[in-house]
Amino acid sequence: MSTHSYPLGGYGPQRRTAWQRLMARDSVLWRMDWPMLLAGVALSCFGSLLVWSATRNRTDINQGDPQHFLWRHLISFLIGLLLMAATVWLGHRRLRGAVPVLYGLTVVLALLVLTPLGATINGQRAWLDFGGGLSLQPAEFIKISVILGMAMLLAARVDAGDRKHPDHRTVLQALGMAAAPIAVIMLMPDLGSAMVLVVIVLGVLLASGASNRWVIGLVLTGAGGAVLVWMMGLLDEYQINRFAAFANPALDPAGAGYNTNQARIAIGSGGLFGKGLFEGTQTTGQFVPEQQTDFIFTVAGEELGFLGGGAIIALMGVVLWRACRIARDTTELYGTVVAAGVIAWFAFQTFENIGMTLGIMPVAGLPLPFVSYGGTSMFAVWIAIGLLQSIKVQRPVSA
């Protein structure tokens, strides 16, 4: 008779076996990129504190509850983690077959923004309002579908072994697929998201091995198109004012230049160590508009100082560094292109968001990934992390 005793009817060996499978060197848990995951979690936790500080005294928007935005941000963060886990479980290769459906769905959602279902916030008709405080910004999900769609087209024949690099016809097809949602976003108009998508397209093309002539041609075409849009007066007045204030901050300090002026005052007043969490006078006095979303970095600069702001940049650097490692090490072009698209997205959006608070970039209404308040943005960035983790765990295990 065995001297071993197991609780609940002798399930101990099965439990040990499951644990051993979970901790095996070839398991998903072991092969995930933990530095990237932990850096993302730290950024989201940073964001929760900063959003709380920026909104706890805002009785005009927090419905009388100082923790209203804190709890909503934390819930979005937890949902984002679940979406990441689901993406890893499905796998980027399995999602490859669903790209046409995902692409079509996101474009339809973007088109719905142009209907009466769309909501205008800060001059941008970029949201779908479902009532009860529930809204959705389709442009965030379009970033993912464009990355997956272009990767699917550009890598198809290369991964099949038919070609070493995408041919001109394939590049044209990929560009046409990306052009449609960009055009819809420009109609909203959401210039910031359009800028991110253009950078994503360039990053994807560079990683795919397509001819450099395409990249050079796109840059020149984009520059010419920007000049044409300006000359034809297709930009809204508030967008023109933002660029004018960027070019000359003293032009309208109480109007178009107010946000950036107050942002620089807030960040500059923080010094090296900051004034302390919840102690920022610019933040408490509500001098910086949209501080929980687009200008969240000003809270870090004022209350946590140079060290706090630097920590956020360093953590984002870890995410980008690990993403570059994943893009380099994967054995298939599809995975490399997907990773490159995410890198281009995160890098440019982070630079633009922090840059506009420092006055080195124009105000474009883009959230700081992981940190800014906003459910759709949080969901999208964690799905992107899920794609990167999937590429990491599904590549062949080295001996």
Side-chain angles (χ1 to χ4, degrees):
M1 181 176 177
S2 174
T3 59
H4 297 285
S5 61
Y6 302 111
L8 302 180
Y11 290 121
Q14 290 86 341
R15 287 180 177 177
R16 281 205 309 273
T17 302
W19 174 256
Q20 290 171 350
R21 287 199 301 269
L22 184 66
M23 298 305 296
R25 291 185 63 87
D26 61 346
S27 69
V28 171
L29 186 64
W30 183 272
R31 295 169 64 189
M32 287 181 67
D33 194 302
W34 283 99
M36 179 172 64
L37 178 59
L38 293 176
V41 169
L43 283 167
S44 294
C45 291
F46 248 122
S48 299
L49 291 174
L50 300 177
V51 167
W52 186 15
S53 179
T55 59
R56 64 193 183 93
N57 293 322
R58 292 291 306 275
T59 55
D60 56 322
I61 60 174
N62 65 18
Q63 302 179 13
D65 180 7
Q67 286 82 40
H68 175 76
F69 283 90
L70 169 64
W71 292 121
R72 289 175 68 94
H73 189 80
L74 287 173
I75 291 171
S76 296
F77 170 39
L78 293 176
I79 294 174
L81 289 177
L82 292 176
L83 290 172
M84 180 205 70
T87 303
V88 175
W89 178 74
L90 286 171
H92 67 290
R93 293 171 183 163
R94 192 181 302 176
L95 286 172
R96 189 174 189 168
V99 165
V101 176
L102 296 174
Y103 174 80
L105 179 60
T106 55
V107 172
V108 168
L109 288 174
L111 287 170
L112 288 176
V113 172
L114 304 177
T115 71
L117 292 175
T120 302
I121 302 176
N122 296 330
Q124 293 180 351
R125 192 177 182 84
W127 282 263
L128 290 174
D129 189 359
F130 301 104
L134 180 63
S135 61
L136 185 73
Q137 189 176 10
E140 295 295 332
F141 295 132
I142 280 181
K143 296 169 187 175
I144 297 172
S145 66
V146 165
I147 290 172
L148 291 175
M150 291 189 70
M152 179 190 70
L153 291 172
L154 293 169
R157 300 186 67 179
V158 177
D159 286 339
D162 297 336
R163 288 184 175 273
K164 291 185 177 181
H165 306 290
D167 56 21
H168 294 313
R169 181 179 178 181
T170 302
V171 174
L172 276 174
Q173 291 174 341
L175 291 177
M177 189 220 67
I182 291 176
V184 174
I185 288 175
M186 285 298 295
L187 291 174
M188 292 179 182
D190 184 355
L191 186 60
S193 295
M195 290 166 58
V196 174
L197 285 170
V198 169
V199 172
I200 286 173
V201 170
L202 291 175
V204 164
L205 286 181
L206 284 170
S208 71
S211 173
N212 288 334
R213 287 178 292 178
W214 283 105
V215 177
I216 296 172
L218 282 175
V219 171
L220 294 176
T221 301
V227 173
L228 184 62
V229 166
W230 182 277
M231 294 179 63
M232 294 179 63
L234 298 179
L235 294 178
D236 284 352
E237 183 178 358
Y238 81 94
Q239 292 174 320
I240 296 174
N241 291 338
R242 284 179 174 179
F243 281 106
F246 167 68
N248 183 8
L251 180 64
D252 187 12
Y258 178 81
N259 287 19
T260 53
N261 286 333
Q262 293 299 323
R264 288 195 292 271
I265 291 172
I267 293 174
S269 67
L272 180 61
F273 299 104
K275 299 176 180 177
L277 192 63
F278 308 132
E279 300 298 328
T281 53
Q282 290 289 111
T283 300
T284 304
Q286 304 173 23
F287 289 103
V288 184
E290 307 302 328
Q291 205 168 10
Q292 75 275 18
T293 53
D294 300 345
F295 287 89
I296 191 70
F297 191 75
T298 62
V299 185
E302 181 182 24
E303 299 189 347
L304 304 179
F306 177 81
L307 294 180
I312 290 176
I313 295 173
L315 288 169
M316 183 57 69
V318 171
V319 173
L320 293 173
W321 162 53
R322 301 305 299 180
C324 288
R325 289 282 299 268
I326 291 170
R328 183 198 66 183
D329 294 341
T330 184
T331 57
E332 57 181 5
L333 182 61
Y334 176 68
T336 298
V337 173
V338 170
V342 175
I343 292 166
W345 166 16
F346 284 7
F348 176 77
Q349 191 160 315
T350 300
F351 179 74
E352 165 61 31
N353 178 277
I354 296 176
M356 72 183 186
T357 65
L358 299 175
I360 61 174
M361 291 293 286
V363 176
L366 290 172
L368 183 57
F370 302 100
V371 181
S372 291
Y373 176 79
T376 313
S377 173
M378 184 71 78
F379 302 158
V381 296
W382 279 108
I383 290 173
I385 291 295
L387 289 172
L388 293 171
Q389 295 287 4
S390 172
I391 297 167
K392 172 73 164 54
V393 303
Q394 291 191 21
R395 74 168 187 259
V397 182
S398 57

